[in-house]
C-alpha cells in the first residue's frame, strides 16, 4: 500500500518555499542593481545616463542600463526582501512582480526604442529577460502559493 504525499512536500525538501523564493529573487535584483554600477561588469560605463535611450551602458555587455534602471532593480530587490517576511506577502511579490515584468515586456515591444518613450531604457535583450522573469515569477508564485492557499483554507476551517 502506498500513500500519496502532498505536492508541497517535494518542493519544501528542495528548500523552495514562498519566503525563500521571494528572498532569493530579491537578492538577485539587489545584485543586478549593484552590478549595474560597477565599471567593467557594466561596459561603456562612462556613457551611462540617468535615464533615456541614449544611455550607452550595458550590464554584462548585453542589457542596456541607466542609473534609473539600476535604481529600479535595487528597489525591486528591497521590496522582495521586505515582502519575504511572510508567505502571503512573498506570494504577492512574486505574482505582482511577475505581472509588472510582463507589462514591461509588452511596453518594450510596442515602443520605439529610439524615442523618449524608452526612458528606463530597454533593448531587445532586456525585453526577452522581462518576459522570462515575468513568466518565472508568476509561475513560482502560483506553484508555491498553493501552500499558502492551503494553509489559509485549513485555518479558516478550524475557526
Amino acid at each position: 500500500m502506498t500513500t500519496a504525499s502532498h505536492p508541497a512536500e517535494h518542493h519544501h525538501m528542495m528548500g523552495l518555499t514562498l519566503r525563500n523564493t521571494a528572498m532569493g529573487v530579491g537578492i538577485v535584483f539587489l545584485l543586478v542593481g549593484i552590478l549595474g554600477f560597477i565599471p567593467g561588469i557594466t561596459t561603456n560605463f562612462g556613457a551611462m545616463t540617468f535615464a533615456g535611450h541614449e544611455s550607452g551602458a550595458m550590464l554584462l555587455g548585453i542589457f542596456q542600463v541607466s542609473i534609473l534602471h539600476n535604481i529600479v532593480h535595487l528597489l525591486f530587490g528591497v521590496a522582495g526582501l521586505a515582502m519575504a517576511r511572510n508567505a502571503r506577502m512573498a506570494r504577492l511579490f512574486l505574482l505582482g512582480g511577475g505581472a509588472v515584468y510582463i507589462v514591461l515586456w509588452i511596453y518594450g515591444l510596442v515602443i520605439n526604442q529610439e524615442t523618449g518613450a524608452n526612458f528606463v531604457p530597454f533593448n531587445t535583450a532586456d525585453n526577452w529577460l522581462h518576459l522570462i522573469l515575468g513568466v518565472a515569477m508568476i509561475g513560482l508564485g502560483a506553484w508555491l502559493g498553493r501552500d499558502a492557499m492551503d494553509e489559509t483554507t485549513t485555518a479558516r476551517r478550524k475557526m
Side-chain angles (χ1 to χ4, degrees):
M1 183 168 145
T2 61
T3 59
S5 62
H6 190 280
E9 292 177 21
H10 300 290
H11 61 259
H12 281 293
M13 287 187 295
M14 297 184 298
L16 288 176
T17 65
L18 277 167
R19 294 181 63 216
N20 289 346
T21 302
M23 187 176 302
V25 170
I27 289 168
V28 168
F29 276 110
L30 279 175
L31 288 173
V32 167
I34 292 167
L35 292 175
F37 288 114
I38 299 177
I41 294 173
T42 298
T43 58
N44 300 324
F45 187 80
M48 185 183 299
T49 61
F50 178 77
H53 68 280
E54 302 89 8
S55 185
M58 305 287 279
L59 179 62
L60 304 173
I62 301 170
F63 305 102
Q64 188 176 13
V65 293
S66 65
I67 294 169
L68 177 62
H69 203 154
N70 292 333
I71 290 170
V72 169
H73 288 143
L74 291 169
L75 292 173
F76 221 82
V78 169
L81 292 178
M83 294 176 82
R85 293 181 182 177
N86 71 60
R88 194 176 113 257
M89 293 302 289
R91 181 174 184 261
L92 179 62
F93 171 72
L94 292 170
L95 294 175
V100 166
Y101 273 94
I102 294 293
V103 169
L104 288 174
W105 169 65
I106 293 167
Y107 182 76
L109 290 177
V110 300
I111 63 166
N112 180 341
Q113 291 181 354
E114 300 303 318
T115 67
N118 191 11
F119 64 94
V120 173
F122 306 133
N123 64 9
T124 302
D126 288 303
N127 286 339
W128 283 107
L129 183 59
H130 292 160
L131 172 62
I132 293 166
L133 280 170
V135 169
M137 289 175 74
I138 290 170
L140 286 166
W143 180 50
L144 298 173
R146 295 177 305 171
D147 299 349
M149 299 306 288
D150 288 348
E151 290 170 11
T152 302
T153 302
T154 303
R156 285 184 183 153
R157 285 182 189 152
K158 290 180 180 179
M159 295 180 139

